[in-house]
């Protein structure tokens, strides 16, 4: 019996089956088109296996409130065809097993805590910097929900004094995502991030925004570990610069050696590498089984 | 048998005994001078009663990590005489009962959840706007700790374009506390807040900063209820303006009726009024007894 895992993203769905220790046994990818088409492939994939539980880490916003009428739905997403899609309901029609459901970034945070860079901690953040910016959180040993779920990618940032870019978030223009996501980089500089590797000013500015945001998260959530992944972080020179800005922005206020002396082990890459998302969904399945 | 409670502030200590339902039976206040002198009064007060547990809501920073050598200490406070004071250790010398220890604002959050405005929720924030700005949080039913404890009063804010005040935080100059605490108001306008009641521009600017900060907290923590107290909030015209700015800053991003339609019941005054702090310490005592 396997654990089933779905990493449901805006452009593709990754489906996998794996073991209790987070090992992926088989995986497949399907493009995100319409719910009918994509889900047909997803269901056909899982029907090959005997599953004991399924975990879904999904793009959002999603309804995570178990006492809500629309628990398990994708809600007000800009991807119109997926609006009000009953994701958990659809899966449970075909697979009558425990189903764990959470945001893609919460899933990744759980995976990193169970098997990755946040092993042994009681709290961590998982931040992805890609097409969007999202952050998942474990707090006091549990995934952070609340009224809805956090949307930390949209916090307001203070602009760099030399940055005239208007920002590209349709809601807030120059929030973090509007200033520092992959598309923001592309729009500001006129080229994709991957083609800007040697332009140090690009990454200095990017680090300014990401470091500032992480400092805000530290002041607000005080996590024991911060993990940063996503396409933009493929720029290997970026993370050290981000760490520098975290320290600059906190300016000595948080007196803890994890920050003051060991920032290299505090703000880190995903321990699971590019598997953080799918392993996170496995972790959600495992958690659902235990509940 | 009573629950004992200490609200330990930078200028005064409030001590009280009370019941399991949060009712205060007797209380006394002592000025915060030296640990020796203040604690002598505290201990003498409690020796009049039979106690079954004690709760301490303390100014900080404090060490809340139970596996740390300095658990229960006040740590790197600017109040030099209290630096490295073993608060829990000192109390347990005289009172061999369970002792709950947390930040003053976490205590107040717990009290409001048990007996006040956040009753029935699984998550809430308690924000105080006074000499400093502090925020306590309950997340997934538990008090939020982590690496240390949150220091949400020091998040960076975006300046109002017409505000030329430099800010007064010794660490960050123009962080939230540096721009919007009681002393910041006094320094910017040259008069104490209580004497500025009729100056609408003062409270519009204050609401801009507080509303902005609360929007950031919502994006990061997604609490079910936000409670705002402290001396500055005695300006009754302020809270409605704060709510307005919360909505402005979120700009429709968080699609939830609690915010979009019922903000008056979402961002609220303390249900326990001026007793939030001391009742919070009672709640810490009650929680310690249950552990
Ligand atoms: N090597 C790179 N350097 C900088 N940016 C990159 C690099 N590779 C991908 N990106 C950017 O990352 C974004 C895609 O992020 P990714 O995490 O791969 O996907 P998604 O966020 O859609 O799940 C794109 O905006 C892309 O331009
Ligand atoms: N009516 C009022 N209007 C505006 N500000 C006030 C008012 N009353 C007190 N304050 C301010 O609140 C601060 C004190 O906050 P308070 O919560 O009472 O104490 P503390 O934060 O020290 O525990 C002072 O800076 C004071 O100027
Ligand atoms: Zn935004
Ligand atoms: Zn500050």
């Amino acid at each position: 019996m396997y654990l089933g895992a779905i990493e449901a993203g805006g452009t593709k769905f990754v489906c996998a089956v794996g073991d209790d220790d987070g090992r992926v046994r088989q995986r497949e990818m399907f493009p995100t088109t319409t719910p009918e088409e994509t889900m047909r492939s997803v269901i056909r994939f899982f029907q090959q296996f005997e599953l004991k539980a399924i975990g879904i880490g999904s793009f959002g916003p999603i309804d995570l409130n178990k006492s809500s009428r629309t628990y398990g739905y994708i809600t007000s997403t800009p991807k119109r065809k997926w609006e009000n899609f009953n994701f958990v309901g659809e899966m449970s029609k075909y697979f009558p097993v425990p189903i764990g459901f959470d945001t893609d970034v919460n899933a990744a945070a759980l995976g990193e805590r169970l098997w990755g860079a946040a092993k042994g901690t009681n709290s961590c953040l998982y931040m992805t910097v890609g097409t969007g910016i999202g952050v998942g959180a474990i707090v006091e040993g549990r995934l952070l929900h609340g009224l809805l779920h956090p949307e930390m990618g949209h916090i307001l940032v203070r602009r760099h004094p030399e940055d005239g870019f208007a920002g590209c978030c349709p809601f807030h223009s120059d929030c973090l995502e509007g200033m520092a996501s992959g598309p923001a980089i592309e729009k500001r500089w006129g080229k994709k991030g991957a083609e800007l590797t040697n332009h140090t000013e690009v990454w200095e500015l990017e680090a300014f925004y990401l470091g500032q945001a992480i400092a805000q998260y530290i002041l607000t959530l005080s996590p024991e570990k911060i993990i940063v992944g996503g396409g933009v972080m493929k720029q290997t020179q970026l993370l050290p610069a981000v760490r520098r800005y975290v320290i600059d922005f906190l300016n000595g206020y948080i007196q803890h050696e994890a920050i003051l002396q060991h920032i290299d082990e505090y703000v880190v890459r995903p321990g699971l590498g590019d598997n953080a998302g799918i392993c996170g969904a496995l972790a959600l399945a495992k958690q659902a089984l235990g509940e």
Side-chain angles (χ1 to χ4, degrees), chain A residues 128 130-132 182-183 193-194 203 230-232 234-235:
Chain A
T128 179
T131 306
W203 308 110
V232 172
K234 303 265 181 229
Q235 295 290 332

Side-chain angles (χ1 to χ4, degrees), chain A residues 4-23:
Chain A
I6 306 175
E7 183 187 2
T11 53
K12 64 179 194 290
F13 274 46
V14 183
C15 295
V17 293
D19 302 328
D20 285 14
D21 59 0
R23 209 155 2 142

Side-chain angles (χ1 to χ4, degrees), chain A residues 114-173:
Chain A
L114 218 50
W115 302 306
K119 231 190 278 187
T121 70
N122 210 26
S123 57
C124 69
L125 298 185
Y126 179 91
M127 181 178 198
T128 179
V129 188
T131 306
I133 297 184
V135 188
I138 291 178
V139 165
E140 299 284 317
R142 302 178 189 206
L143 286 169
L144 173 57
H145 304 124
L147 190 68
L148 290 172
H149 46 75
E151 288 283 1
M152 291 185 229
H154 291 270
I155 65 166
L156 218 61
V157 284
R158 200 178 278 185
R159 289 175 156 276
H160 193 285
E162 285 159 30
D163 185 11
F165 178 55
C168 65
C169 173
F171 289 91
H172 318 103
S173 301

Side-chain angles (χ1 to χ4, degrees), chain A residues 7-224:
Chain A
E7 183 187 2
T11 53
K12 64 179 194 290
F13 274 46
V14 183
C15 295
V17 293
D19 302 328
D20 285 14
D21 59 0
R23 209 155 2 142
V24 172
R25 290 304 187 135
Q26 202 167 318
R27 91 168 72 198
E28 217 165 314
M29 280 192 333
F30 311 107
T32 308
T33 58
T34 64
E36 295 69 35
E37 192 177 32
T38 304
M39 292 308 294
R40 202 177 307 127
S41 307
V42 167
I43 287 156
R44 209 177 290 145
F45 171 79
F46 285 117
Q47 280 174 336
Q48 304 170 261
F49 308 97
E50 260 200 286
L51 300 179
K52 56 184 176 185
I54 297 171
I56 305 170
S58 177
F59 72 93
I62 60 181
D63 188 346
L64 296 172
N65 177 356
K66 285 196 176 157
S67 59
S68 154
R69 227 172 9 86
T70 53
Y71 169 76
Y73 281 56
I74 294 178
T75 58
S76 58
T77 173
K79 297 188 85 67
R80 276 300 156 83
K81 288 171 182 160
W82 291 82
E83 208 174 345
N84 301 318
F85 172 61
N86 183 354
F87 204 151
V88 171
E90 183 67 13
M91 288 301 292
S92 62
K93 268 198 233 159
Y94 297 88
F95 307 99
V97 296
I99 297 180
F101 183 62
D102 218 308
T103 61
D104 42 9
V105 279
N106 261 357
L110 190 66
E112 286 289 331
R113 182 179 177 229
L114 218 50
W115 302 306
K119 231 190 278 187
T121 70
N122 210 26
S123 57
C124 69
L125 298 185
Y126 179 91
M127 181 178 198
T128 179
V129 188
T131 306
I133 297 184
V135 188
I138 291 178
V139 165
E140 299 284 317
R142 302 178 189 206
L143 286 169
L144 173 57
H145 304 124
L147 190 68
L148 290 172
H149 46 75
E151 288 283 1
M152 291 185 229
H154 291 270
I155 65 166
L156 218 61
V157 284
R158 200 178 278 185
R159 289 175 156 276
H160 193 285
E162 285 159 30
D163 185 11
F165 178 55
C168 65
C169 173
F171 289 91
H172 318 103
S173 301
D174 54 2
C175 69
L176 176 66
E177 181 169 301
M179 297 303 271
S181 61
I185 296 171
E186 186 173 347
K187 214 161 170 194
R188 181 190 286 108
W189 303 99
K191 276 186 191 166
K192 280 190 184 304
E195 297 161 39
L196 291 161
T197 307
N198 295 321
H199 295 258
T200 51
E201 69 279 19
V202 171
W203 308 110
E204 190 67 16
L205 191 66
E206 181 70 9
F208 170 87
Y209 289 117
L210 298 179
Q212 180 185 156
I214 290 173
Q216 304 284 76
Y217 303 149
I218 292 171
L219 291 166
T220 309
L221 286 159
S222 197
E224 288 166 69

